[in-house]
């Protein structure tokens, strides 16, 4: 048996290997194109196991892949990217949170504890140096740095 005869008689192995390769690439890219091609490769596996000719295997792969990309992928992407109304990411949740100043914090240096985590902190440009033990409010996050404004004092009820 020659190599070409072996490939033709065991084409399902090639299609299955292609599916696994595409699934691995999809895990790295996460854009839902390669898994759609992988489903097409599974169609090729099915035709190969039913002893279909190579041209039919390739045709089934192409048709299923195109249908998956143009019909299924847009729906899947829509559902994956849909978030509940008012949903905020972890970083967005920090804005407006209280921050305990841990070391003198100015526009150049500082650190603060926010929600139990220690963050590199900077005072906003209009805020003077903040002293350790005082509280501030997170005004924005830039990378791994929290920018803080002075917390307004709570009026005493009396």
């Amino acid at each position: 048996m020659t190599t070409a005869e072996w490939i033709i008689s065991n084409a399902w192995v090639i299609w299955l290997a292609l599916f696994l390769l595409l699934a691995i690439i999809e895990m790295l890219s996460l854009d839902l194109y390669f898994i759609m091609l992988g489903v097409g490769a599974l169609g090729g596996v099915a035709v190969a196991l039913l002893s279909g000719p190579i041209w039919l295997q390739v045709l089934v792969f192409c048709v299923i892949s195109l249908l998956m990309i143009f019909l299924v992928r847009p729906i899947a992407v829509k559902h994956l990217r849909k978030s509940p109304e008012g949903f905020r990411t972890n970083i967005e949740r920090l804005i407006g949170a209280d921050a305990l100043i841990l070391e003198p914090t100015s526009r150049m240096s500082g650190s603060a504890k926010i929600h139990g985590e220690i963050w590199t902190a900077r005072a906003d440009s209009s805020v003077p140096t903040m002293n350790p033990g005082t509280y501030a409010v997170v005004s924005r996050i830039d990378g791994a740095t929290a920018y803080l404004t002075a917390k307004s004092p709570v009026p005493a009820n009396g």
Side-chain angles (χ1 to χ4, degrees):
M1 178 180 275
T2 66
T3 304
E5 291 171 341
W6 184 89
I7 290 174
I8 290 171
S9 64
N10 295 301
W12 67 272
V13 175
I14 306 299
W15 287 111
L16 190 59
L18 179 62
F19 166 74
L20 293 173
L21 177 67
L22 291 168
I24 290 169
I25 294 171
E26 179 62 40
M27 285 188 273
L28 298 174
S29 70
L30 298 174
D31 60 4
L32 297 182
Y33 279 108
F34 293 99
I35 199 65
M36 300 301 156
L37 294 172
V39 173
L42 289 178
V45 169
V47 174
L49 288 174
L50 295 172
S51 302
I54 292 292
W55 67 267
L56 184 59
Q57 295 172 30
V58 172
L59 180 67
V60 167
F61 166 75
C62 292
V63 169
I64 290 177
S65 294
L66 287 173
L67 287 173
M68 294 293 291
I69 288 171
F70 291 114
L71 299 178
V72 176
R73 184 182 179 276
I75 295 168
V77 168
K78 179 180 164 187
H79 284 286
L80 284 174
R81 303 236 163 113
K82 185 169 75 173
S83 58
E85 193 169 317
F87 178 77
R88 298 187 321 171
T89 64
N90 289 335
I91 296 299
E92 290 168 341
R93 285 188 190 129
L94 292 177
I95 298 183
D98 287 343
L100 174 62
I101 307 298
L102 299 176
E103 62 183 43
T105 301
S106 66
R107 288 181 282 154
M108 302 301 287
S109 66
S111 69
K113 185 179 263 190
I114 306 166
H115 287 288
E117 295 180 346
I118 298 175
W119 280 75
T120 300
R122 301 288 184 265
D124 273 339
S125 59
S126 62
V127 178
T129 300
M130 293 181 266
N131 296 319
T134 60
Y135 282 89
V137 176
V138 178
S139 61
R140 66 185 170 100
I141 302 287
D142 185 14
T145 303
Y147 287 85
L148 309 174
T149 57
K151 186 170 183 175
S152 56
V154 178
N157 292 332

